[in-house]
Amino acid sequence: MQPIQIPNLPDGEVTSVIIDGRFFKKFQSVFKELQINIIPTLAHPGVYQAVAYHPDIMLHHIEDHIIVYAPKTPDQLLDSLRNRGFTLVKGYKELGEKYPETIAYNVARLGRFAIHNTKYTDPVLRELLVSRGVEFIHTNQGYSKCLTCIVDATSIITSDRDIHKKVLSAGLDSLLIEPDEAIRLEPFDMGFIGGATGLIGEKKLAVAGNLKFHKNFKQIIDFLSLKGVGVVMLNGEKLIDMGSIIPIEQKL
């Protein structure tokens, strides 16, 4: 196994992912069939319960073996990553209970771009990305990763109009879909497409649930087909926003 060089964009078969620890048992068997190891999160003590376990709230994969983490991220999670050979860099901003104190690390990395409300980006995370030539796309949406499904190095799916507009302006491609209660995030009315997805292969998108429940199912499938990306639906239920499926290791 080797760390994924470009975050969210494996170029081989994924062997390890980070997901919300509350859903470890729910998806354990299907990930085992896919020969993918799950690294489950634990609750971050600083944020509200709905997103407390979400990996995209407390962690950000910079590149290769480097991951930035929010202060007070549970030691057990950090140790499990260190034991796999990852170098962990502590961020500066403390997470808080309410928005925008929850969004400092929720940056959507898309190849050489990073999408976020740059007024709130953690400075350690920002410096590491900028020093690597990553260009920030500023958006008014702070929950950028939650709302961004990474399709490939130049394409996303989102229900956020500002993200959609800014990505297109940067010369990238975006499919704008409708917000839909088919994506669950209890106790709220709905969650977001980015939080329910993640690439588990160069051209293979995993979905936490069945896309057929989404009102834009056909448009999503058509867009993915256009990009040459296949879909692995992890079960037959409605989609679950679990703070992204974050791929971190792949086969050599």
Side-chain angles (χ1 to χ4, degrees), residues 24-41:
F24 174 78
K25 290 183 179 179
K26 188 177 189 69
F27 295 112
Q28 184 178 17
S29 61
V30 67
F31 275 116
K32 186 176 181 180
E33 289 177 13
L34 293 166
Q35 299 183 338
I36 295 174
N37 176 64
I38 295 174
I39 300 168
T41 62

Side-chain angles (χ1 to χ4, degrees), residues 80 137 151:
S80 68
I137 298 173
V151 174

Side-chain angles (χ1 to χ4, degrees), residues 1-3 12-13 15 250-252:
M1 294 185 293
Q2 63 181 5
E13 293 182 46
T15 55
Q250 64 183 25
K251 288 183 180 180
L252 293 170

Side-chain angles (χ1 to χ4, degrees), residues 204-230:
K204 189 186 298 182
L205 183 72
V207 181
N210 193 326
L211 272 174
K212 290 182 180 179
F213 287 103
H214 199 285
K215 64 180 70 173
N216 297 124
F217 169 69
K218 185 179 185 303
Q219 293 97 318
I220 293 171
I221 293 298
D222 288 348
F223 186 76
L224 293 173
S225 178
L226 180 67
K227 302 298 178 180
V229 175

Side-chain angles (χ1 to χ4, degrees), residues 6-233:
I6 303 175
N8 303 311
L9 295 171
D11 57 10
E13 293 182 46
V14 170
T15 55
S16 298
V17 296
I18 309 174
I19 68 168
D20 184 320
R22 291 171 291 191
F23 300 104
F24 174 78
K25 290 183 179 179
K26 188 177 189 69
F27 295 112
Q28 184 178 17
S29 61
V30 67
F31 275 116
K32 186 176 181 180
E33 289 177 13
L34 293 166
Q35 299 183 338
I36 295 174
N37 176 64
I38 295 174
I39 300 168
T41 62
L42 291 89
H44 190 287
V47 301
Y48 59 92
Q49 187 64 18
V51 300
Y53 286 77
H54 283 193
D56 61 17
I57 291 293
M58 64 185 99
L59 300 170
H60 186 87
H61 186 192
I62 297 294
E63 68 175 12
D64 195 25
H65 63 285
I66 302 172
I67 295 174
V68 171
Y69 68 94
K72 299 180 182 176
T73 295
D75 288 337
Q76 186 177 336
L77 172 58
L78 300 179
D79 288 343
S80 68
L81 292 168
R82 288 191 186 99
N83 290 339
R84 304 189 78 84
F86 285 90
T87 299
L88 302 182
V89 180
K90 186 177 182 179
Y92 173 77
K93 283 197 174 184
E94 297 265 355
L95 295 177
E97 177 69 20
K98 298 179 180 179
Y99 184 94
E101 296 172 349
T102 51
I103 64 171
Y105 305 87
N106 196 243
V107 178
R109 176 73 182 279
L110 182 68
R112 66 182 185 89
F113 293 96
I115 306 163
H116 202 227
N117 186 326
T118 53
K119 293 188 294 184
Y120 302 106
T121 309
D122 176 73
V124 173
L125 188 163
R126 184 185 179 94
E127 182 179 349
L128 285 171
L129 292 181
V130 170
S131 70
R132 287 158 172 79
V134 176
E135 180 181 342
F136 271 83
I137 298 173
H138 172 76
T139 176
N140 295 326
Q141 175 56 251
Y143 284 122
S144 302
K145 180 62 193 76
C146 296
L147 279 145
T148 304
C149 168
I150 309 296
V151 174
D152 59 30
T154 59
S155 310
I156 68 165
I157 300 171
T158 185
S159 60
D160 187 90
R161 291 184 178 277
D162 192 54
I163 290 177
H164 175 70
K165 178 182 176 182
K166 297 292 178 57
V167 163
L168 292 178
S169 295
L172 304 170
D173 201 1
S174 173
L175 173 68
L176 182 65
I177 60 173
E178 299 173 68
D180 195 339
E181 293 180 3
I183 306 175
R184 294 177 293 165
L185 178 61
E186 296 180 356
F188 301 109
D189 291 338
M190 69 184 74
F192 306 111
I193 191 69
T197 56
L199 288 166
I200 57 170
E202 185 176 7
K203 294 290 186 178
K204 189 186 298 182
L205 183 72
V207 181
N210 193 326
L211 272 174
K212 290 182 180 179
F213 287 103
H214 199 285
K215 64 180 70 173
N216 297 124
F217 169 69
K218 185 179 185 303
Q219 293 97 318
I220 293 171
I221 293 298
D222 288 348
F223 186 76
L224 293 173
S225 178
L226 180 67
K227 302 298 178 180
V229 175
V231 181
V232 177
M233 301 186 198

